[in-house]
Amino acid sequence: QKEVEQDPGPLSVPEGAIVSLNCTYSNSAFQYFMWYRQYSRKGPELLMYTYSSGNKEDGRFTAQVDKSSKYISLFIRDSQPSDSATYLCAMTLSGGYNKLIFGAGTRLAVHP
Amino acid sequence: GAVVSQHPSWVICKSGTSVKIECRSLDFQATTMFWYRQFPKQSLMLMATSNEGSKATYEQGVEKDKFLINHASLTLSTLTVTSAHPEDSSFYICSARDTGGREPSDTQYFGPGTRLTVL
């Protein structure tokens, strides 16, 4: 079993839709959760980070962490064609200097 | 935001030659940098963790004599692919951890990647 499971998609939605991207994990010691966006042939770009359980909102993006279920989500409201990319969840133990564990990435396509 | 650059952005070389890739943190200091490789439509695979002033820590299965890593300063790490072969063709991405306190210390900022093609 992988430490982090993420559905690779592809996920295709119409412009304006609400997108839900999810990851599950097995290590209950993970404390720090991130979402990265990666456009084709580019490096990943940090979108959101959260500590422990709860929600965090930034513009059209909301990151949600449910530690009891070992489940994290990224919601994108009013999706745009420019949101078309691969979204990678990542997580790590707390305390600094720990490597990130990535999900496989979900490919999202938002069509006009 | 924190900016990480990589050079070159792409390189084509002949089999048997060595290729050096640079990773720089432009507006912050990075005690720790990471090197990843990524195959098409796959996630990032961590190759090694590079610490300034000390030897890199390689992940299991990564040949340290083939992928030489040097982290000589707080803003520069280099990856040298020695005696490259076609199977080394991949997208190589570095990341740097901002130790200056701007973000939580676990945040990694990624470079734009280097596409290596070995003929």
Side-chain angles (χ1 to χ4, degrees), chain A:
Chain A
Q1 182 188 7
K2 292 180 181 178
E3 279 193 284
V4 180
E5 297 278 0
Q6 184 177 9
D7 187 338
L11 182 62
S12 181
V13 301
E15 183 175 356
I18 297 174
V19 176
S20 173
L21 305 167
N22 311 294
C23 289
T24 59
Y25 61 94
S26 57
N27 189 345
S28 59
F30 286 139
Q31 294 285 341
Y32 185 35
F33 305 91
M34 282 150 279
W35 286 94
Y36 286 88
R37 177 175 63 195
Q38 185 177 25
Y39 292 111
S40 181
R41 297 174 179 262
K42 300 289 184 184
E45 169 194 10
L46 179 66
L47 276 180
M48 303 280 287
Y49 66 88
T50 53
Y51 276 127
S52 198
S53 284
N55 291 0
K56 183 174 182 179
E57 187 173 320
D58 184 1
R60 296 185 294 113
F61 299 92
T62 299
Q64 191 174 77
V65 174
D66 181 350
K67 291 198 70 184
S68 62
S69 302
K70 300 194 188 76
Y71 187 88
I72 68 170
S73 300
L74 178 71
F75 298 97
I76 307 174
R77 290 185 298 279
D78 188 24
S79 56
Q80 303 294 310
S82 58
D83 295 327
S84 299
T86 296
Y87 290 80
L88 298 148
C89 65
M91 49 199 75
T92 187
L93 305 173
S94 63
Y97 304 102
N98 288 293
K99 60 185 180 184
L100 293 179
I101 308 300
F102 282 91
T106 299
R107 284 182 290 136
L108 171 67
V110 181
H111 52 85

Side-chain angles (χ1 to χ4, degrees), chain B:
Chain B
V3 180
V4 177
S5 70
Q6 274 184 249
H7 178 79
S9 56
W10 59 271
V11 57
I12 301 173
C13 68
K14 292 182 179 180
S15 184
T17 60
S18 295
V19 174
K20 180 185 282 189
I21 302 170
E22 292 186 349
C23 176
R24 292 181 185 273
S25 56
L26 298 185
D27 54 356
F28 65 99
Q29 292 186 329
T31 306
T32 305
M33 291 184 172
F34 302 85
W35 287 96
Y36 297 82
R37 68 188 295 182
Q38 186 177 36
F39 292 105
K41 298 186 179 181
Q42 294 188 24
S43 191
L44 290 83
M45 184 190 80
L46 179 65
M47 299 175 65
T49 301
S50 167
N51 294 298
E52 187 265 337
S54 64
K55 290 183 179 180
T57 302
Y58 290 81
E59 294 299 301
Q60 190 173 11
V62 178
E63 299 175 61
K64 62 180 180 181
D65 294 330
K66 180 168 186 64
F67 299 100
L68 300 179
I69 292 172
N70 184 282
H71 192 161
S73 77
L74 287 173
T75 60
L76 173 64
S77 176
T78 60
L79 168 69
T80 301
V81 183
T82 62
S83 186
H85 288 92
E87 58 266 29
D88 298 323
S89 299
S90 188
F91 192 49
Y92 291 87
I93 310 174
C94 72
S95 71
R97 199 198 307 269
D98 184 351
T99 54
R102 173 170 31 193
E103 299 276 14
S105 60
D106 301 276
T107 305
Q108 291 184 28
Y109 296 93
F110 285 82
T114 297
R115 185 158 302 280
L116 170 63
T117 301
V118 184
L119 302 177

